[in-house]
Amino acid sequence: MKNDEFNQDPLKFATLIAHQLQSPLNAVSAALQAVLGEYTGPLSPPQRGSLERANARCDQAIESVRRMLAIVKAGAGRAATEPPALLVKAVHQAHDSHVAEAARREIGIAVDIRDAAGPVVLGEAALVEVLDAVLGNAIKYTPDRGRVRLRVAAGPRPGTAMVEVADSGIGVPEAERAQIFHPFFRSSTARTSARPGVGLGLAFVKSVVEAAGGSVAVDRSADLGGAAFTLVLPLAPETPARPSGKPPGLRVVIVGGVTAGPKAAAKIIRLLPDTDVTIVERGSVLSYAGCGLPYYVSGVVRDQKRLLSGPAGVVRDPVFFRNVMNVHVMNRTEACEIDRAGRRVRVRDAAGGHETWLPYDRLLLATGASAFVPPSLRTVLRNVFTLHGMRDAEGIKSALADAMARDVVIVGGGLLGIQMTEALARKGARVTIIEERPHILPMLDADLAALVERHLEAHGVRIVANTAATGLQGTDTVRGVTTAGGVFPADLVILACGIRPNVELAVAAGLELGPTGAVRADAFQRTSDPDIYAAGDCAETTHRLTGQPCYIPHGSTAAKQGRVAAVNIAGGKEQFPGVMGSSICKVFDYVVARTGFGEDEARQAGHEVATVLAAGLDRAHYMPGAGLLLIKLIVDRGTGRLLGAQATGPGAADKRIDVAMMAIAAGLTVDDLANADLGYAPSYSAVSDNLIAAANVARDKLDGAFTGITPAETQVRLGRHEPIVLLDVRTAEEFEEQRLPNATSVPLGALRERLGELPRDRDIVVVCDIGVRAYEGALILKAAGFERVAVMEGGIAMWPEAKLE
């Protein structure tokens, strides 16, 4: 081919280049996949990261080649013409392909959509390639920390749309603007910039745009100072609505990109693939596993990337969302205002402060929650964290490195604070938990929480309950936490005082809040504005047992609500039924879990309550690894209906709590649960599973065949010096090893022979290790005419104090 042929048809040259690149690019991709699959040997995390970035760029190049060939093939009449492309969607795609490079060079890219134009006559492949070329040119010739703007507006004449790409770069001299679109021409400013190029990109743009009946021009950007390229594109003729009734080209803006937002975006695209979905996230990290941060701090999760990626190991960054999910992501961008009348959201780019409006047909608020810090604890001192994001996690890891922080105080004994305790203790820190409520873990009743406190103290953790932190001490770095009772020394402080829903954006827009202070959302996740939805930690939900609004934020709830919102945004009618307050966490080798009502909650809801404490091994006693499981059931005394369950101990509590949750949701009674056909094998449960055993104890208690007293009640009676007899029916050897205060030892095997040693005019509380032998002992006593007999439920295993005689 001669140069004049290239001048007449730059697409021919582009096609030649694309054909030449296709084979080597595919070969490079195959080689990269082999190395990433570790077929050539193991990779270190830095090596894998570099190769994955190279592989992503290779995939982009291959996709560009494919698009180029598709454009030329269609233009030559050898394939059906592509359907008209959505301009806004293509603009987002072009933005996403360059956002990483722009961020690396600290170039702010503002997307300003003045008019959401309909489809244009170009096909999607051609339009994306054109916009990619113009935007790539702007970024290439813009200096570091510069500015680029992508603006979509109505065209200069009816039936057209306009795209302007302006920058603060080197510009195009006025005398050379007529030649800038000629093949192989490079402006004088480009030639002296040391930026690589051959001068074919803009020639290609001009050829494609003019072939579609549009125009392209360049001028000087009035406000940014560099070049301003303007593309005018004809709009495609309107087509009849599709018979499905689903709105074509639905525009959805999602504010929040951690859990509910990405979940909703993925579902919307699966249901309506042609939807224009934009996620606005003020942070730089998307869809990260926040619940895994304690394990990252402790070192159980060694690579931060594991928290930022899915099960397949792919990091969920803006490129992933675009290439895999076809979702546009604007991270490091804050949503500042919702214009409900104009159905648009004003957003601000954190890098350059540029603002623009995003139009929407449906809006989803997934703004999450923020750590609550009491005014008295707000500080600029170093080594004070809330563990609310990757930055805090990295800060805590840094403070713990090389034994820099030895005394750590956690203010708050809720889930977050407790989850961090193990991570800190395993790093060698001395940990103190300060909790202003009577006990830690308010998700548990006091008797179960006492068992967890006992376990924490056994691992060297100091628990200071009923105490409020009133201030922080230090000059540059924190040195202590003050309370009414004194000062606790601290090299590191973690404020785990709870979270508050991020509702400022919703409030400013006039959306209703619920009684919990979170955004009010119905079962369809709709807010008080039917075109705006809310999901995740910013939204309240309904408690399934009371039917009343509640605020119980969890990542699992956010994911489910995000899915429900997505289905309804896409035209469905799915409802979220609410939550049961199910929670679980790990405390050293203990599991802590609950679901349904706690004891006090059940009474406040109007139930006459019966409770049961039961202890037992989580599998057959002869199986290695069998662990003790301590369970509490809350039951309606009149109906026998299960209302709540709590569990702790080293045994497998998770599956028992999950079964209990389903039983509560189904309205089952302890009779139903006692006969549940649960899977059995010695490796997974005893013949009578822990939950079934607890249900049987509850049945006996409700039927009057069993009289129980809790360890806490026993402790209170002993503290009042009541004349009760603590009858320990364990073996003499067990009794000598540890026993309750003032207990009397009569082994179960000798009880019938020694009944005469026991008084009949005093209350007798029968005790053993977990309650089974005590129950047998109580039956012997009752058969012998003893009337004032009770079994200490759960046995010594559930005694609230660690110290025994």
Side-chain angles (χ1 to χ4, degrees), residues 657-672:
I657 288 296
D658 288 343
V659 170
M661 180 270 155
M662 296 302 295
I664 296 169
L668 301 184
T669 66
V670 287
D671 290 331
D672 299 318

Side-chain angles (χ1 to χ4, degrees), residues 451 454 709-716 718 724-730 734-745 765-771 774 790-805:
L451 301 178
R454 185 181 74 183
I709 182 173
T710 69
E713 291 169 336
T714 304
Q715 187 183 39
V716 169
L718 288 174
I724 62 174
V725 175
L726 279 183
L727 178 62
D728 192 325
V729 296
R730 296 174 301 151
E734 291 175 291
F735 184 80
E736 286 301 320
E737 185 176 344
Q738 66 172 8
R739 56 186 179 272
L740 298 182
N742 301 316
T744 298
S745 174
V765 177
V766 191
V767 177
C768 70
D769 51 348
I770 60 174
V791 174
M792 193 174 83
E793 299 176 33
I796 293 175
M798 300 188 80
W799 187 253
E801 290 186 353
K803 294 181 180 180
L804 300 175
E805 293 183 355

Side-chain angles (χ1 to χ4, degrees), residues 21-74:
L21 287 175
Q22 192 169 35
S23 293
L25 282 172
N26 285 331
V28 170
S29 177
L32 285 170
Q33 291 297 328
V35 177
L36 283 169
E38 298 191 340
Y39 297 112
T40 59
L43 297 172
S44 67
Q47 289 172 330
R48 176 172 291 279
S50 297
L51 287 168
E52 285 176 344
R53 288 191 292 272
N55 189 53
R57 299 299 290 178
C58 185
D59 288 345
Q60 290 176 1
I62 290 172
E63 184 60 30
S64 291
V65 166
R66 289 174 180 165
R67 286 200 301 261
M68 185 71 69
L69 293 174
I71 292 166
V72 175
K73 186 177 180 181

